[in-house]
Amino acid sequence: MSMDVLEPRTRPVRERQSKLSVVDCDIHPAAKSALELKPYMPQQWWEHLTTFGSGVRQNFSETLAYPRMQAEVSRVDAWPPSGGPPGSDLDFMRAQHLDPNNVERGILIPLRMNAGSQRNLAFGAALCRAINEWQIETWCRKEERLRGSIQVSADDVKFSVAEIERCAADPTYVQVLIPPRNLEPLGRERYWPIFEAAVAANRPIAMHVGGVSGSPAGAGTGTISYYVEEHQSLVQAMQAVLVSLVVEGVFERFPTLKIVMVEAGFAWLPALSWRLDTQWKRFKAEVPQLKRLPSEYIREHFWFTTQPIEEPERPEDLDRIIDWIGEDRIMFSTDYPHWDFDDPNYVFKTRMSETRRRKIFSENAKTLFNLRDA
Amino acid sequence: MSWHVVAKVDEIAPGQSKMVSARGREIGVFNVNGDFFALANKCPHEGASLCKGRVIGLAESDEPGHYRLTRKGELLRCPWHGWEFDIRTGQSWCDPVHTKVKAYSVMVESGDKLGDKSKGPYVAETFAVSVEDNYILVDV
């Protein structure tokens, strides 16, 4: 290589937008070990956990039905130097995520141990309650940017209602967390007391993809083969739950109920709504409890988090989908520390208006979760 | 651009890599079966520290049910979303045209030749060089 071709490389000047202030609607905290939960569990259930383990509605219940290509479903770089699984070290979370990504508020969504999908409902209730208290004591009390979720187990309706009422007085809990996959579709009337309690507590209900219903994942098609299929089935389950909530008439009964769909994407929403509207016009005698177009309930009652963002070949297609859904209904999320984390600086490939940007990255979540106290 | 001395040859064994810094840029230097390659430590997809990912092979299949692992140790998988890049070129396996990691030229030179001005302005970033050893240089 001769000297005359070694010109200093002129770096393309990338127009920088102002530093984003972010509300992250999906952060997954983990315990370094189950021992962290011990102080919050009655002796009976601690012994149950250490003797029998957790038992969700699948075989090999403490494993993932579809093993991920990355350990603990996590970013390879998210293992704390102090030891423990990704998401278990607050200082490392601050250094790797909260500080550099300018996270003004982060909402914790505890998923580990699948407390909401336990076969033994009484154990599941004890686990949910322990996780709810652990979340506040271990995370939110130590880091003022973090907020918690009231984890419940939908198939234990009585417990769920009691737990929502118990936690409602603490504003650190900003939402109720229900797995989308349960023993029955979530719109069924047997689950309605939970919705009633959420409305009374003035909390949205968040559904994060996952949960274990006892039926094979895969939209009723039988047992699917691959993780890549299961990843799609997560969204199919969310679509089915959305339709169930709408057509069962949940929103006629609870006109102020708010639902947040976490980690399900959103680009599918217009097409699903179009189909549902068309069919409702033909079949509405079957569901006379619906007084309006399904899409009207959807637009009024649902919020969607961004991660994992859809990545169409033409990035501007996503802008048009956001136009349809409404820029007030999309809320940024990262999924930290999981492998499909979205980085706030890269997640959107097109330039959006400053107003839209502020709404999606922080304002919508601040409004929905009443986070303007700070 | 100029050549920067970033490591001794024997510091990076086959299959291993080293993170180096040259002109303020983080660069991963990889030893693939005795050949050295250098990639920017930034995934073009969402900006992850790419070189923290695992070095892997390529799972290939000509038809369902028949699989083989090829090019062992020649691909780097992003620690976040698992994008796979050819360590030799920086090209993405899935999207070779549009998605590419910045790859830097690398050469190996013996310590006694580093003073030869006809080969360009060498800059040793991290340590004093000695004439006895062989060094890896990256063009940044």
Side-chain angles (χ1 to χ4, degrees), chain A residues 120-246:
Chain A
N120 181 328
L121 291 180
F123 169 67
L127 197 53
C128 284
R129 181 162 290 183
I131 286 172
N132 290 339
E133 294 186 10
W134 162 84
Q135 226 185 134
I136 299 299
E137 296 304 325
T138 313
W139 297 89
C140 303
R141 298 264 183 268
K142 294 178 183 166
E143 172 50 68
E144 62 172 14
R145 286 172 287 188
L146 297 177
R147 294 293 182 275
S149 301
I150 307 170
Q151 162 92 74
V152 299
S153 153
D155 284 296
D156 191 340
V157 173
K158 205 171 142 191
F159 159 73
S160 297
V161 169
E163 186 64 359
I164 293 167
E165 288 171 352
R166 186 183 75 86
C167 295
D170 186 345
T172 318
Y173 296 106
V174 297
Q175 63 186 4
V176 175
L177 182 65
I178 300 183
R181 290 176 173 136
N182 297 288
L183 292 181
E184 290 184 39
L186 204 59
R188 295 292 184 92
E189 199 165 351
R190 60 179 292 224
Y191 298 116
W192 289 14
I194 302 173
F195 306 145
E196 189 176 8
V199 168
N202 196 25
R203 300 293 201 290
I205 287 178
M207 270 178 284
H208 184 286
V209 291
V212 185
S213 69
S215 305
T221 55
T223 303
I224 51 182
S225 303
Y226 302 109
Y227 172 40
V228 66
E229 283 181 287
E230 193 217 12
H231 211 269
Q232 301 303 312
S233 83
L234 297 171
V235 176
Q236 293 153 0
M238 294 292 257
Q239 294 169 347
V241 170
L242 179 144
V243 172
S244 170
L245 290 169
V246 170

Side-chain angles (χ1 to χ4, degrees), chain A residues 34-35 37-55 62 113 115 118-131 156 159:
Chain A
L35 272 175
L37 297 177
K38 190 180 177 188
Y40 310 107
M41 293 188 86
Q43 183 67 15
Q44 175 198 355
W45 294 118
W46 174 253
E47 282 178 13
H48 181 96
L49 176 62
T50 51
T51 308
F52 300 103
S54 138
E62 292 198 41
M113 303 182 83
Q118 292 290 327
R119 293 187 295 236
N120 181 328
L121 291 180
F123 169 67
L127 197 53
C128 284
R129 181 162 290 183
I131 286 172
D156 191 340
F159 159 73

Side-chain angles (χ1 to χ4, degrees), chain B residues 109-120:
Chain B
E109 194 64 277
S110 62
D112 61 339
K113 301 238 179 75
L114 289 180
D116 182 349
K117 293 286 183 267
S118 69
K119 291 264 174 61

Side-chain angles (χ1 to χ4, degrees), chain A residues 1 3 6, chain B residues 1-6 106-125 127 129 135-139:
Chain A
M1 206 177 279
M3 284 295 291
L6 296 177
Chain B
M1 293 176 83
S2 55
W3 289 98
H4 296 254
V5 180
V6 293
V106 178
M107 71 171 172
V108 172
E109 194 64 277
S110 62
D112 61 339
K113 301 238 179 75
L114 289 180
D116 182 349
K117 293 286 183 267
S118 69
K119 291 264 174 61
Y122 299 114
V123 183
E125 287 290 322
F127 48 84
V129 296
Y135 292 89
I136 303 165
L137 291 82
V138 176
D139 189 16

Side-chain angles (χ1 to χ4, degrees), chain B:
Chain B
M1 293 176 83
S2 55
W3 289 98
H4 296 254
V5 180
V6 293
K8 284 186 191 176
V9 162
D10 58 12
E11 272 182 77
I12 310 174
Q16 302 295 309
S17 65
K18 184 188 177 189
M19 286 291 303
V20 303
S21 177
R23 293 222 307 204
R25 293 171 208 192
E26 283 185 23
I27 295 167
V29 181
F30 296 82
N31 181 336
V32 180
N33 303 323
D35 295 325
F36 291 94
F37 302 93
L39 297 176
N41 184 31
K42 191 173 189 178
C43 181
H45 174 231
E46 285 206 28
S49 293
L50 183 62
C51 300
K52 290 181 182 163
R54 285 178 58 200
V55 173
I56 57 165
L58 198 57
E60 290 188 286
S61 172
D62 295 324
E63 56 179 311
H66 295 269
Y67 310 105
R68 61 178 185 276
L69 188 64
T70 62
R71 303 195 55 195
K72 225 174 160 184
E74 295 180 31
L75 285 103
L76 177 63
R77 187 165 68 195
C78 179
W80 291 4
H81 304 95
W83 280 70
E84 294 163 343
F85 298 94
D86 189 327
I87 296 174
R88 294 173 188 277
T89 61
Q91 272 187 341
S92 152
W93 183 257
C94 291
D95 184 17
V97 177
H98 298 106
T99 305
K100 195 170 176 177
V101 187
K102 168 75 182 161
Y104 297 93
S105 300
V106 178
M107 71 171 172
V108 172
E109 194 64 277
S110 62
D112 61 339
K113 301 238 179 75
L114 289 180
D116 182 349
K117 293 286 183 267
S118 69
K119 291 264 174 61
Y122 299 114
V123 183
E125 287 290 322
T126 52
F127 48 84
V129 296
S130 73
V131 293
E132 297 90 56
D133 296 311
N134 286 325
Y135 292 89
I136 303 165
L137 291 82
V138 176
D139 189 16
V140 182

Side-chain angles (χ1 to χ4, degrees), chain A residues 18-91:
Chain A
S18 59
K19 180 76 174 167
L20 287 165
S21 174
V22 164
V23 176
D24 181 354
C25 294
D26 188 16
I27 295 178
H28 298 301
K32 283 195 186 297
S33 81
L35 272 175
E36 279 187 20
L37 297 177
K38 190 180 177 188
Y40 310 107
M41 293 188 86
Q43 183 67 15
Q44 175 198 355
W45 294 118
W46 174 253
E47 282 178 13
H48 181 96
L49 176 62
T50 51
T51 308
F52 300 103
S54 138
V56 300
R57 304 173 186 121
Q58 65 179 28
N59 296 330
F60 305 109
S61 96
E62 292 198 41
T63 65
L64 286 164
Y66 293 85
R68 278 52 171 152
M69 77 292 184
Q70 282 174 198
E72 295 289 348
V73 203
S74 289
R75 286 168 43 166
V76 173
D77 60 356
W79 291 78
S82 61
S88 66
D89 182 318
L90 176 56
D91 283 333

